[in-house]
Amino acid sequence: MGRRLVYIFAAALVVACGCLAGPLVASGKDWSAGGERAHLRQVVSGMSLREKVGQLFVTYVYGSSSRTEDPQAVRQNRKLYGVDNGAQLVRRYHLGGIIYFNWTDNENNPRQIARLSNGLQRAAVGSGARVPLLIGTDQEQGLVRRVGPPATQFPGNMALGATRSVRDARVAAAITGEELRAMGINQDYAPVVDVNTNPLNQADGVRSFGDRPALVSRMTRAQVAGYQENGRVAATAKHFPGLGDTTINTDNGVAVTHQSRRRIFRTDLPPFRAAVSSGIDSIMAAHIIAPALDASRLPASLSRPIVTGILREKLGYDGVVVTDALSAGALAGYDQSRIPIMAIKAGDDQLLMPTNLKEAIDSVVSAVKRGKISEQRIDRSVLRILLLKYKLGLFKDPYVNVNRVSEKVGTPQHLREAARIANRTITLVKNENNLLPLAKNSGERTFVVGWSDPATGSLSTLSHQVRERGLKTTTLATGYEPTDAQIQKARAEARKSDIVIVATNNAEFYPQQQELVKALLGTGRPVVVAALGNPYDIAYFRRAPVYVAAYGYRAVSESALVRVLFGEIDPSGRLPVTIGSASKPHRVLYPFGWGLHYTGR
């Protein structure tokens, strides 16, 4: 049989839709018949060392197609990898996976994504060990989502936490997974299962379901079931052992948690236990330093006591462990050629986005040849990765039908479900003098001001929806950090208005937003504060008469917010976190579970 197994496709390979079809068979046996572990061990034994090591790595590539000729994409790929495009990248390095991003021009529209996925899969199964790819992305929904409309957009985790509905959490994940798989994406780096116990957390915030382990665990189980329903996509619980208590995002710098071992086990680990018991396909190891778990102060992703000692042995997890991006700022102080070796020794399987792919692969191959890592250790990770690919049906058929993408992505039914769920997320925290709901067709002069997403013009969208309901609007987008001139202009415009709606986004980090709200409150006009990010902003302007938490600024959340503002739906969301005083965090202003309804509803 030679050094490699020979793969044969059992039917005509090319169909009119431009995708490949037919079950993949090895040694004359259809893989769907069972005995996959034995077959996969044969595959591993037939791979060269470089092919095995390549399976451990996941990285990004520039271009909207697998054979892109776009000059800018080609230039970037040559600089990073010495190749022109994704097909060449996969062939040269025998990659186990690719991760898609907007900024790499991978995710422009569903059909384009599907074609890209098929092209990359052809390159994988047509070269080297002929193993299909894991193709992943960060489609968390809410704040972090890579694939935009027409794909269905759902509120993010904290908004889902406000519903308390495990059904809604499962439905959102199931639809997201179905749409991703239709585009050829088979691994989602979601859900975030960190317990957001620190209001000043810049890593999680609204990406977390909330600040209570029990709630986060329930939602975690629901989302794992949703994503992995019918083998759609591999879910990835992140960021082990938890980023909920830190203030620093490990993408940008070194994050340390000073929690005790007991507290970490009681607060941060329960959602990961829930993920493991739910059969999650992969777990992402974070770069956070937890001295209580590893006295050497190695980042968790590089720590054997944490990955192997806790995740593998104490939690009993034997699935795929993927590192957070190895190019993250948290690892900047380490020898880049040593990082992949440290990760493997820690117990990780997939090595995500090394700073220098060639150097990383070469360093692992050299470590095996020098006896620093055994080839058997590499084989264990490769087998886990291949088992996941088998579970996802990739050995049977790794391709998608490009012509049928629109039948799965952004369908009217999916959009209705997203709107239904969003309607349940909005939390009315404060409503003095029953200022809300606003009256339609009043003709009142309404000033819509504050933070706006520059990519989508979210404030203009909000203003437009208010105007559609019969109010006269003027709009001023001030960004994260309003200037003194903008604040003065806002104050003057507010004095001429009957009502003010001010949008904030994580004002706890931006004193200028706090100053803007205080200036508006000083005009004496009725002010509605709408938090489009973290719900903690009310701690910084407690005099605001009305405060509504939307937990997000995507269109689906903004539309639900406006429906609440005008009483078209009753606010039913409840705080999934505790809001404490800005000066005395332990003094509770609004407790976990708080949420107002309209009178008589």
Side-chain angles (χ1 to χ4, degrees):
M1 191 165 57
R3 189 174 62 82
R4 298 187 182 90
L5 295 176
V6 178
Y7 288 82
I8 304 168
F9 285 95
L13 296 182
V14 183
V15 294
C17 69
C19 64
L20 299 181
L24 197 61
V25 295
S27 301
K29 294 184 179 180
D30 190 333
W31 285 47
S32 62
E36 66 274 8
R37 186 175 289 268
H39 292 320
L40 292 170
R41 289 189 188 279
Q42 287 183 289
V43 175
V44 175
S45 67
M47 296 169 73
S48 71
L49 177 59
R50 280 199 173 270
E51 288 166 353
K52 293 176 183 178
V53 172
Q55 283 296 305
L56 308 185
F57 284 89
V58 180
T59 195
Y60 57 91
V61 66
Y62 286 87
S64 60
S65 72
S66 64
R67 297 178 180 273
T68 184
E69 295 180 352
D70 176 73
Q72 184 175 353
V74 170
R75 186 163 53 251
Q76 293 280 11
N77 291 329
R78 286 177 179 172
K79 179 180 178 181
L80 285 170
Y81 311 117
V83 301
D84 290 349
N85 53 52
Q88 292 178 12
L89 175 69
V90 169
R91 292 193 187 102
R92 175 172 294 188
Y93 295 103
H94 313 292
L95 289 180
I98 291 286
I99 181 171
Y100 289 168
F101 291 102
N102 313 94
W103 49 268
T104 52
D105 196 29
N106 298 152
E107 298 174 318
N108 300 316
N109 63 74
R111 284 175 61 88
Q112 168 268 318
I113 297 170
R115 286 192 294 267
L116 172 61
S117 299
N118 281 349
L120 293 173
Q121 292 289 15
R122 288 191 194 97
V125 301
S127 65
R130 304 178 186 274
V131 174
L133 291 164
L134 286 170
I135 297 178
T137 198
D138 296 289
Q139 193 75 349
E140 299 173 12
Q141 296 290 10
L143 178 63
V144 176
R145 62 106 173 99
R146 308 303 185 194
V147 186
T152 305
Q153 309 295 293
F154 283 94
N157 282 8
M158 191 168 285
L160 291 176
T163 71
R164 300 299 197 276
S165 172
V166 294
R167 177 182 180 273
D168 288 350
R170 180 167 182 159
V171 167
I175 291 175
T176 299
E178 180 181 1
E179 296 194 359
L180 289 177
R181 191 60 187 264
M183 293 179 274
I185 297 170
N186 48 56
Q187 184 173 20
D188 193 5
Y189 295 111
V192 171
V193 305
D194 302 329
V195 182
N196 197 74
T197 53
N198 189 338
L200 298 178
N201 188 336
Q202 297 190 55
D204 289 327
V206 293
R207 297 170 68 195
S208 166
F209 291 114
D211 66 6
R212 302 292 176 91
L215 172 64
V216 178
S217 296
R218 289 197 303 272
M219 305 303 269
T220 296
R221 280 190 287 268
Q223 290 236 298
V224 172
Y227 282 122
Q228 297 183 182
E229 185 175 305
N230 300 321
R232 285 173 177 155
V233 299
T236 307
K238 59 187 187 185
H239 309 79
F240 187 82
L243 294 180
D245 184 54
T246 187
T247 58
I248 297 174
N249 190 326
T250 56
D251 289 346
N252 306 317
V254 177
V256 181
T257 175
H258 296 289
Q259 293 186 95
S260 69
R261 183 181 182 91
R262 183 184 180 198
R263 180 173 170 82
I264 291 171
F265 270 76
R266 290 180 60 183
T267 302
D268 296 296
L269 294 192
F272 291 99
R273 288 187 187 275
V276 171
S277 67
S278 300
I280 194 158
D281 286 330
S282 57
I283 292 177
M284 180 177 286
H287 300 320
I288 192 168
I289 295 171
L293 303 182
D294 184 351
S296 72
R297 297 179 68 90
L298 278 174
S301 56
L302 309 182
S303 166
R304 184 171 179 81
I306 295 176
V307 175
T308 296
I310 297 176
L311 181 55
R312 296 280 191 210
E313 296 174 358
K314 288 191 178 297
L315 271 61
Y317 184 64
D318 194 37
V320 172
V321 176
V322 55
T323 68
D324 207 339
L326 298 181
S327 55
L331 303 184
Y334 291 84
D335 181 344
Q336 298 300 302
S337 66
R338 286 280 304 157
I339 288 174
I341 298 170
M342 296 169 72
I344 292 169
K345 288 184 174 181
D348 302 315
D349 301 305
Q350 283 188 312
L351 310 179
L352 181 63
M353 295 168 55
T355 302
N356 185 316
L357 179 64
K358 182 179 185 303
E359 179 185 56
I361 291 176
D362 287 347
S363 70
V364 175
V365 170
S366 176
V368 174
K369 289 181 176 178
R370 290 185 290 113
K372 301 297 184 182
I373 301 174
S374 72
E375 191 159 356
Q376 289 73 25
R377 168 65 189 88
I378 301 296
D379 290 352
R380 286 199 297 274
S381 283
V382 175
L383 182 60
R384 287 192 189 104
I385 292 166
L386 297 192
L387 281 167
L388 175 53
K389 293 179 179 183
Y390 175 84
K391 178 183 176 183
L392 292 169
L394 299 179
F395 283 105
K396 182 179 180 181
D397 184 3
Y399 306 102
V400 294
N401 190 326
V402 175
N403 289 336
R404 301 193 66 181
V405 173
S406 61
E407 297 175 17
K408 299 285 187 180
V409 179
T411 66
Q413 180 184 358
H414 289 178
L415 296 176
R416 284 194 296 272
E417 282 294 283
R420 179 190 66 79
I421 291 171
N423 285 344
R424 294 164 51 86
T425 65
I426 308 300
T427 305
L428 180 60
V429 177
K430 192 176 181 181
N431 189 25
E432 288 183 357
N433 301 319
N434 292 321
L435 181 60
L436 295 184
L438 302 176
K440 291 183 180 180
N441 302 314
S442 67
E444 287 187 311
R445 294 169 297 177
T446 307
F447 182 37
V448 182
V449 61
W451 181 86
S452 181
D453 176 30
T456 62
S458 58
L459 196 74
S460 294
T461 301
L462 179 63
S463 181
H464 175 73
Q465 292 193 35
V466 171
R467 188 164 57 252
E468 282 185 325
R469 286 161 171 82
L471 280 67
K472 298 175 182 179
T473 63
T474 55
T475 309
L476 175 63
T478 59
Y480 278 109
E481 300 177 296
T483 64
D484 290 342
Q486 287 176 322
I487 292 173
Q488 290 177 8
K489 183 177 180 180
R491 183 188 291 112
E493 187 63 42
R495 288 190 175 118
K496 296 184 293 182
S497 303
D498 297 309
I499 191 167
V500 177
I501 300 173
V502 55
T504 65
N505 190 332
N506 301 354
E508 66 265 38
F509 303 122
Y510 300 100
Q512 297 93 324
Q513 286 190 50
Q514 300 170 31
E515 291 303 316
L516 170 65
V517 174
K518 290 173 183 176
L520 295 170
L521 292 173
T523 64
R525 311 311 300 160
V527 175
V528 175
V529 180
L532 303 185
N534 289 338
Y536 306 107
D537 291 1
I538 185 64
Y540 297 87
F541 24 81
R542 292 168 57 185
R543 287 178 48 227
V546 179
Y547 184 74
V548 188
Y551 310 102
Y553 57 86
R554 304 294 183 192
V556 67
S557 293
E558 279 201 344
S559 295
L561 168 65
V562 174
R563 287 192 284 271
V564 165
L565 293 181
F566 285 89
E568 296 167 15
I569 56 175
D570 190 43
S572 59
R574 291 181 288 155
L575 286 177
V577 296
T578 299
I579 299 178
S581 167
S583 58
K584 299 178 180 179
H586 295 294
R587 180 186 173 194
V588 175
L589 299 180
Y590 298 97
F592 177 91
W594 178 268
L596 301 176
H597 299 272
Y598 292 139
T599 302
R601 297 296 178 95

mmCIF file of all heavy atoms in Angstrom, residues 510-533:
data_model
loop_
_atom_site.group_PDB
_atom_site.id
_atom_site.type_symbol
_atom_site.label_atom_id
_atom_site.label_comp_id
_atom_site.label_asym_id
_atom_site.label_seq_id
_atom_site.Cartn_x
_atom_site.Cartn_y
_atom_site.Cartn_z
ATOM 1 N N TYR A 510 -14.297 55.226 29.245
ATOM 2 C CA TYR A 510 -14.156 56.471 28.496
ATOM 3 C C TYR A 510 -14.794 57.629 29.272
ATOM 4 O O TYR A 510 -16.003 57.883 29.158
ATOM 5 C CB TYR A 510 -14.810 56.339 27.120
ATOM 6 C CG TYR A 510 -14.192 55.248 26.282
ATOM 7 C CD1 TYR A 510 -14.805 53.994 26.177
ATOM 8 C CD2 TYR A 510 -12.981 55.451 25.628
ATOM 9 C CE1 TYR A 510 -14.232 52.982 25.423
ATOM 10 C CE2 TYR A 510 -12.409 54.443 24.867
ATOM 11 C CZ TYR A 510 -13.034 53.214 24.777
ATOM 12 O OH TYR A 510 -12.453 52.214 24.024
ATOM 13 N N PRO A 511 -14.012 58.341 30.064
ATOM 14 C CA PRO A 511 -14.548 59.462 30.846
ATOM 15 C C PRO A 511 -15.265 60.513 29.999
ATOM 16 O O PRO A 511 -16.196 61.165 30.478
ATOM 17 C CB PRO A 511 -13.294 60.047 31.514
ATOM 18 C CG PRO A 511 -12.320 58.909 31.560
ATOM 19 C CD PRO A 511 -12.574 58.110 30.325
ATOM 20 N N GLN A 512 -14.848 60.645 28.737
ATOM 21 C CA GLN A 512 -15.493 61.652 27.886
ATOM 22 C C GLN A 512 -16.963 61.296 27.637
ATOM 23 O O GLN A 512 -17.805 62.188 27.515
ATOM 24 C CB GLN A 512 -14.757 61.780 26.548
ATOM 25 C CG GLN A 512 -13.314 62.268 26.690
ATOM 26 C CD GLN A 512 -12.321 61.105 26.777
ATOM 27 O OE1 GLN A 512 -12.612 60.060 27.366
ATOM 28 N NE2 GLN A 512 -11.162 61.287 26.186
ATOM 29 N N GLN A 513 -17.269 59.999 27.535
ATOM 30 C CA GLN A 513 -18.676 59.607 27.395
ATOM 31 C C GLN A 513 -19.449 59.972 28.662
ATOM 32 O O GLN A 513 -20.591 60.424 28.595
ATOM 33 C CB GLN A 513 -18.793 58.105 27.132
ATOM 34 C CG GLN A 513 -18.399 57.672 25.732
ATOM 35 C CD GLN A 513 -18.766 56.217 25.462
ATOM 36 O OE1 GLN A 513 -19.890 55.793 25.707
ATOM 37 N NE2 GLN A 513 -17.810 55.444 24.960
ATOM 38 N N GLN A 514 -18.817 59.777 29.798
ATOM 39 C CA GLN A 514 -19.466 60.141 31.058
ATOM 40 C C GLN A 514 -19.745 61.644 31.101
ATOM 41 O O GLN A 514 -20.816 62.084 31.551
ATOM 42 C CB GLN A 514 -18.569 59.732 32.225
ATOM 43 C CG GLN A 514 -18.278 58.241 32.294
ATOM 44 C CD GLN A 514 -17.197 57.909 33.308
ATOM 45 O OE1 GLN A 514 -17.044 58.592 34.318
ATOM 46 N NE2 GLN A 514 -16.427 56.856 33.043
ATOM 47 N N GLU A 515 -18.785 62.420 30.613
ATOM 48 C CA GLU A 515 -18.968 63.876 30.600
ATOM 49 C C GLU A 515 -20.090 64.280 29.660
ATOM 50 O O GLU A 515 -20.860 65.214 29.952
ATOM 51 C CB GLU A 515 -17.658 64.564 30.184
ATOM 52 C CG GLU A 515 -16.540 64.446 31.215
ATOM 53 C CD GLU A 515 -16.954 65.006 32.572
ATOM 54 O OE1 GLU A 515 -17.569 66.105 32.597
ATOM 55 O OE2 GLU A 515 -16.686 64.346 33.594
ATOM 56 N N LEU A 516 -20.202 63.583 28.530
ATOM 57 C CA LEU A 516 -21.279 63.892 27.587
ATOM 58 C C LEU A 516 -22.638 63.663 28.250
ATOM 59 O O LEU A 516 -23.527 64.532 28.184
ATOM 60 C CB LEU A 516 -21.152 63.015 26.343
ATOM 61 C CG LEU A 516 -22.339 63.058 25.373
ATOM 62 C CD1 LEU A 516 -22.489 64.450 24.766
ATOM 63 C CD2 LEU A 516 -22.198 62.004 24.269
ATOM 64 N N VAL A 517 -22.809 62.526 28.894
ATOM 65 C CA VAL A 517 -24.092 62.228 29.524
ATOM 66 C C VAL A 517 -24.396 63.237 30.627
ATOM 67 O O VAL A 517 -25.529 63.733 30.748
ATOM 68 C CB VAL A 517 -24.107 60.784 30.068
ATOM 69 C CG1 VAL A 517 -25.394 60.516 30.851
ATOM 70 C CG2 VAL A 517 -23.962 59.780 28.938
ATOM 71 N N LYS A 518 -23.400 63.572 31.424
ATOM 72 C CA LYS A 518 -23.616 64.546 32.496
ATOM 73 C C LYS A 518 -24.013 65.912 31.930
ATOM 74 O O LYS A 518 -24.868 66.616 32.496
ATOM 75 C CB LYS A 518 -22.357 64.666 33.342
ATOM 76 C CG LYS A 518 -22.075 63.418 34.183
ATOM 77 C CD LYS A 518 -20.734 63.507 34.877
ATOM 78 C CE LYS A 518 -20.439 62.216 35.651
ATOM 79 N NZ LYS A 518 -19.087 62.224 36.275
ATOM 80 N N ALA A 519 -23.403 66.287 30.809
ATOM 81 C CA ALA A 519 -23.752 67.569 30.189
ATOM 82 C C ALA A 519 -25.195 67.560 29.701
ATOM 83 O O ALA A 519 -25.929 68.549 29.850
ATOM 84 C CB ALA A 519 -22.799 67.856 29.030
ATOM 85 N N LEU A 520 -25.625 66.443 29.134
ATOM 86 C CA LEU A 520 -26.999 66.330 28.658
ATOM 87 C C LEU A 520 -27.991 66.356 29.811
ATOM 88 O O LEU A 520 -29.050 66.997 29.741
ATOM 89 C CB LEU A 520 -27.161 65.043 27.841
ATOM 90 C CG LEU A 520 -26.348 64.974 26.534
ATOM 91 C CD1 LEU A 520 -26.389 63.566 25.950
ATOM 92 C CD2 LEU A 520 -26.858 65.994 25.528
ATOM 93 N N LEU A 521 -27.635 65.673 30.894
ATOM 94 C CA LEU A 521 -28.515 65.679 32.075
ATOM 95 C C LEU A 521 -28.634 67.087 32.654
ATOM 96 O O LEU A 521 -29.677 67.459 33.196
ATOM 97 C CB LEU A 521 -27.965 64.721 33.131
ATOM 98 C CG LEU A 521 -27.999 63.225 32.789
ATOM 99 C CD1 LEU A 521 -27.258 62.417 33.851
ATOM 100 C CD2 LEU A 521 -29.446 62.744 32.658
ATOM 101 N N GLY A 522 -27.558 67.877 32.515
ATOM 102 C CA GLY A 522 -27.553 69.233 33.053
ATOM 103 C C GLY A 522 -28.470 70.185 32.327
ATOM 104 O O GLY A 522 -28.738 71.287 32.827
ATOM 105 N N THR A 523 -28.954 69.788 31.159
ATOM 106 C CA THR A 523 -29.848 70.679 30.411
ATOM 107 C C THR A 523 -31.274 70.655 30.960
ATOM 108 O O THR A 523 -32.089 71.516 30.604
ATOM 109 C CB THR A 523 -29.908 70.262 28.927
ATOM 110 O OG1 THR A 523 -30.493 68.950 28.819
ATOM 111 C CG2 THR A 523 -28.516 70.268 28.309
ATOM 112 N N GLY A 524 -31.583 69.674 31.788
ATOM 113 C CA GLY A 524 -32.928 69.573 32.334
ATOM 114 C C GLY A 524 -33.918 68.904 31.401
ATOM 115 O O GLY A 524 -35.098 68.749 31.756
ATOM 116 N N ARG A 525 -33.492 68.507 30.208
ATOM 117 C CA ARG A 525 -34.376 67.831 29.278
ATOM 118 C C ARG A 525 -34.500 66.357 29.655
ATOM 119 O O ARG A 525 -33.589 65.787 30.274
ATOM 120 C CB ARG A 525 -33.879 67.931 27.828
ATOM 121 C CG ARG A 525 -33.490 69.337 27.393
ATOM 122 C CD ARG A 525 -34.543 70.361 27.734
ATOM 123 N NE ARG A 525 -35.833 70.067 27.095
ATOM 124 C CZ ARG A 525 -37.002 70.543 27.481
ATOM 125 N NH1 ARG A 525 -37.069 71.315 28.562
ATOM 126 N NH2 ARG A 525 -38.109 70.234 26.818
ATOM 127 N N PRO A 526 -35.579 65.682 29.338
ATOM 128 C CA PRO A 526 -35.690 64.242 29.609
ATOM 129 C C PRO A 526 -34.633 63.472 28.808
ATOM 130 O O PRO A 526 -34.538 63.640 27.586
ATOM 131 C CB PRO A 526 -37.102 63.889 29.133
ATOM 132 C CG PRO A 526 -37.838 65.192 29.077
ATOM 133 C CD PRO A 526 -36.817 66.235 28.742
ATOM 134 N N VAL A 527 -33.864 62.656 29.508
ATOM 135 C CA VAL A 527 -32.757 61.931 28.862
ATOM 136 C C VAL A 527 -32.956 60.429 29.027
ATOM 137 O O VAL A 527 -33.146 59.932 30.135
ATOM 138 C CB VAL A 527 -31.398 62.348 29.462
ATOM 139 C CG1 VAL A 527 -30.271 61.494 28.871
ATOM 140 C CG2 VAL A 527 -31.130 63.829 29.202
ATOM 141 N N VAL A 528 -32.900 59.708 27.899
ATOM 142 C CA VAL A 528 -32.927 58.245 27.887
ATOM 143 C C VAL A 528 -31.521 57.772 27.537
ATOM 144 O O VAL A 528 -31.000 58.103 26.469
ATOM 145 C CB VAL A 528 -33.926 57.708 26.845
ATOM 146 C CG1 VAL A 528 -33.844 56.178 26.763
ATOM 147 C CG2 VAL A 528 -35.338 58.165 27.168
ATOM 148 N N VAL A 529 -30.898 57.038 28.451
ATOM 149 C CA VAL A 529 -29.568 56.492 28.184
ATOM 150 C C VAL A 529 -29.731 55.050 27.714
ATOM 151 O O VAL A 529 -30.340 54.228 28.401
ATOM 152 C CB VAL A 529 -28.671 56.531 29.435
ATOM 153 C CG1 VAL A 529 -27.291 55.944 29.113
ATOM 154 C CG2 VAL A 529 -28.526 57.964 29.935
ATOM 155 N N ALA A 530 -29.193 54.764 26.533
ATOM 156 C CA ALA A 530 -29.254 53.416 25.969
ATOM 157 C C ALA A 530 -27.839 52.863 25.901
ATOM 158 O O ALA A 530 -27.003 53.371 25.147
ATOM 159 C CB ALA A 530 -29.885 53.445 24.578
ATOM 160 N N ALA A 531 -27.564 51.844 26.705
ATOM 161 C CA ALA A 531 -26.233 51.235 26.727
ATOM 162 C C ALA A 531 -26.133 50.198 25.617
ATOM 163 O O ALA A 531 -26.809 49.165 25.660
ATOM 164 C CB ALA A 531 -25.972 50.592 28.086
ATOM 165 N N LEU A 532 -25.281 50.454 24.631
ATOM 166 C CA LEU A 532 -25.123 49.549 23.500
ATOM 167 C C LEU A 532 -23.921 48.618 23.683
ATOM 168 O O LEU A 532 -23.593 47.854 22.777
ATOM 169 C CB LEU A 532 -24.959 50.347 22.200
ATOM 170 C CG LEU A 532 -26.092 51.327 21.878
ATOM 171 C CD1 LEU A 532 -25.865 51.962 20.515
ATOM 172 C CD2 LEU A 532 -27.450 50.659 21.942
ATOM 173 N N GLY A 533 -23.289 48.708 24.842
ATOM 174 C CA GLY A 533 -22.191 47.815 25.178
ATOM 175 C C GLY A 533 -22.446 47.202 26.536
ATOM 176 O O GLY A 533 -23.531 46.671 26.798
#
